[in-house]
Amino acid sequence: QPKAAASALRERLKQYKGKEYFPPERGGSSVVTKEGTSVVEEAIRYLDGLAPMGALASGAGALGLVLAAEDHTTDIGYTGSVSHSSSDGTCGADRALRYGKFASFGECLWYGSDKADARCIVLDLVVDDGVPSRGHRLGVCNPIYDIVGVAYGPHSTYGWIAAMEFAKDWQPNDAAIAGRKVSGPVKVPGQEEAKQAVSTQWKGLGVCKLCGEPILGGAVMDIDKLGGKVHASCFNCRSCSTALKGVPWVAHEGLPFCKDCYHKEHGDKCTACGKPITGGMLTCSLGK
């Protein structure tokens, strides 16, 4: 509801220092915004002027829209591009038409941290920092839509992507939806070309020391033990895939391991019992 969203944004105003926004879910790290608090105050005034809105339908009835959203998040999540067009140029409305018909259609895309929950994503879109048209705000708050389908997944440049497909008078194509559930996301031609064409405002960040892919922005970590910058999403144990940020870890031959996996796979073993040595060690006639 508009008034509830406006109340949440008034709380958000308290989390700004100049143009830096400190989301509670990020544990003290900040997001540098383009417009600072002025756009939040503008969004609050906009919301205060809206009438109460009905809830959007979702669930099973919106599955076709969810699949259209997943087709897009899978495609540009891989390429790292920022676009409403698929790698082959397909637009959002045409993606939705694969799975049904509608009287009206709209799409909103969000990019950001995996720390953001659904509420935070919607508020980000309502604020619409740095978007002169405020197209995301207008889309999310458009009273004409009566149903929405959402998909969320990793994005190789900005961390994560959410796609919201809004429609009015949605009529699902059950046969197309059933086929898509079996076949999985649409295989979009042109992905490799789109991936190579990605360009961002960040220059000279080089390639990730762990995955070898170019660093084009998003969450980046500079780790001396690994030889330089890495995608934050790549900083996981090479063996068990545990995220290593904020936990003890060991570098071995340029790769990160959690301590348990390091000792199990690369550490010294007790000569007597054969188990990894994780604490103090004594060398005697038996060995270690």
Side-chain angles (χ1 to χ4, degrees):
Q1 290 296 330
K3 292 195 181 300
S7 177
L9 290 184
R10 288 187 175 93
E11 287 299 312
R12 180 178 282 208
L13 283 173
K14 301 174 184 178
Q15 295 151 5
Y16 278 78
K17 293 181 181 179
K19 290 190 175 182
E20 288 188 273
Y21 167 48
F22 292 81
E25 67 273 9
R26 291 206 177 190
S29 63
S30 68
V31 176
V32 180
T33 68
K34 293 181 173 67
E35 300 179 70
T37 57
S38 63
V39 69
V40 183
E41 293 165 345
E42 175 195 300
I44 292 170
R45 292 193 298 271
Y46 173 82
L47 292 168
D48 283 342
L50 296 180
M53 301 172 65
L56 292 171
S58 57
L63 179 57
L65 293 170
V66 171
L67 296 177
E70 185 183 51
D71 285 347
H72 199 47
T73 59
T74 301
D75 175 24
I76 69 170
Y78 169 73
T79 66
S81 58
V82 178
S83 176
H84 288 278
S85 297
S86 303
S87 295
D88 63 356
T90 303
C91 69
D94 285 341
R95 289 191 293 271
L97 286 170
R98 293 169 180 157
Y99 311 115
K101 297 179 180 180
F102 49 79
S104 298
F105 175 84
E107 178 180 74
C108 284
L109 303 179
W110 171 95
Y111 307 86
S113 166
D114 63 348
K115 304 298 183 185
D117 59 16
R119 178 175 180 270
C120 178
I121 290 171
V122 171
L123 291 175
D124 285 349
L125 292 169
V126 171
V127 170
D128 222 1
D129 178 67
V131 181
S133 70
R134 308 300 189 222
H136 303 98
R137 181 189 302 169
L138 297 174
V140 169
C141 298
N142 191 334
I144 194 174
Y145 299 130
D146 53 28
I147 192 169
V148 64
V150 181
Y152 176 78
H155 189 270
S156 60
T157 299
Y158 292 109
W160 290 84
I161 176 176
M164 301 181 184
E165 315 299 327
F166 299 92
K168 174 180 173 59
D169 298 336
W170 173 249
Q171 300 175 48
N173 181 330
D174 293 336
I177 291 170
R180 165 63 171 76
K181 288 169 67 177
V182 173
S183 63
V186 169
K187 306 299 187 292
V188 183
Q191 285 189 331
E192 295 306 323
E193 293 84 353
K195 189 177 182 68
Q196 293 300 317
V198 170
S199 177
T200 69
Q201 61 184 308
W202 291 277
K203 306 293 183 183
L205 294 179
V207 299
C208 173
K209 297 298 182 181
L210 295 175
C211 73
E213 293 290 331
I215 298 176
L216 300 173
V220 180
M221 305 175 72
D222 198 345
I223 305 176
D224 288 341
K225 290 181 180 180
L226 299 179
K229 295 180 177 63
V230 302
H231 296 117
S233 59
C234 291
F235 186 46
N236 306 314
C237 175
R238 293 299 97 178
S239 181
C240 68
S241 299
T242 297
L244 297 178
K245 184 177 180 181
V247 301
W249 64 281
V250 179
H252 177 75
E253 296 182 351
L255 297 174
F257 292 85
C258 69
K259 282 201 167 182
D260 286 345
C261 287
Y262 170 77
H263 287 300
K264 180 180 178 180
E265 298 180 17
H266 304 291
D268 292 312
K269 303 292 192 299
C270 174
T271 302
C273 70
K275 294 181 179 180
I277 299 173
T278 59
M281 180 175 63
L282 176 67
T283 301
C284 65
S285 60
L286 294 176
K288 296 180 179 178

